[in-house]
Amino acid sequence: MKVLVINGPNLNMLGVREKEIYGTKDFQDVCNYIKEEGQKRNIDIELLQSNIEGEIINGIHKAYYEKYDGIIINPGAYTHYSYAIMDAIKAVNINTVEVHLSNIHAREEFRHKSVIAAACIGQICGFGEFGYVMAMEVLKNGKVKSEELKI
Ligand code: DQA
């Protein structure tokens, strides 16, 4: 299966930016981790990072034309106000999981709202880079009922 993993603005600064929130791993380490975990699950991972809203939208459209099976997206701050990214996800009708490294609900008020989540099959936040792996499991196995989750 082919999955496009999109990281939005400022995620390329991981390892430099607000380490107390985002940790000390740099972006390349996180990308390597995502690739490796994808390989273990037989998922063909394509990575896209952009600080530009239009490039993220073009990436989502590309996922449609290139017949991707799923999208994992950390839209960064665009999460909180980009109706254009939300519309792009709705347009392509590809199973999409929203991921955040930090627990956005435990942070400033403006981060509590995601305008993207409604276009996604679900949102994962607060578990660092492991969130991307959880999203892979969801895309591979489909939605699971909460009572079936073994933690
Ligand atoms: C983030 C949370 C956003 O609020 C923030 O703007 C980011 C990163 C996260 O992964 O926790 O850039 O998406």
Side-chain angles (χ1 to χ4, degrees):
M1 101 184 272
K2 287 207 299 186
V3 171
L4 177 63
V5 178
I6 302 175
N7 280 294
N10 299 308
L11 287 154
N12 56 310
M13 297 303 282
L14 288 178
V16 177
R17 76 184 286 212
E18 300 177 281
K19 291 182 201 157
E20 60 297 346
I21 297 172
Y22 299 113
T24 52
K25 263 196 186 174
D26 70 22
F27 183 61
Q28 197 48 54
D29 290 339
V30 172
C31 288
N32 293 342
Y33 170 75
I34 292 170
K35 277 263 183 196
E36 278 164 26
E37 293 299 320
Q39 259 164 21
K40 283 186 202 165
R41 289 167 179 76
N42 245 330
I43 301 174
D44 200 352
I45 300 277
E46 167 85 18
L47 289 161
L48 165 68
Q49 191 279 325
S50 178
N51 296 316
I52 300 164
E53 190 178 23
E55 286 184 2
I56 294 171
I57 293 165
N58 286 343
I60 294 166
H61 295 173
K62 183 179 121 139
Y64 172 78
Y65 288 110
E66 296 186 6
K67 299 191 182 355
Y68 276 77
D69 304 295
I71 297 173
I72 297 171
I73 185 165
N74 182 346
Y78 284 138
T79 304
H80 314 299
Y81 63 93
S82 178
Y83 296 108
I85 293 176
M86 184 262 282
D87 276 348
I89 295 169
K90 282 195 171 166
V92 297
N93 201 23
I94 297 172
N95 276 344
T96 299
V97 182
E98 180 183 323
V99 170
H100 300 283
L101 298 161
S102 65
N103 179 358
I104 55 174
H105 303 288
R107 299 182 62 195
E108 303 97 311
E109 182 117 30
F110 77 89
R111 296 187 204 274
H112 298 183
K113 179 156 178 60
S114 166
V115 301
I116 309 287
C120 297
I121 55 175
Q123 182 198 64
I124 296 165
C125 71
F127 302 106
E129 62 267 22
F130 185 54
Y132 296 93
V133 181
M134 293 165 89
M136 287 178 206
E137 288 289 332
V138 170
L139 291 173
K140 257 209 113 166
N141 300 312
K143 270 190 169 179
V144 282
K145 294 198 201 92
S146 55
E147 62 267 27
E148 288 169 355
L149 282 173
K150 291 191 198 84
I151 296 174

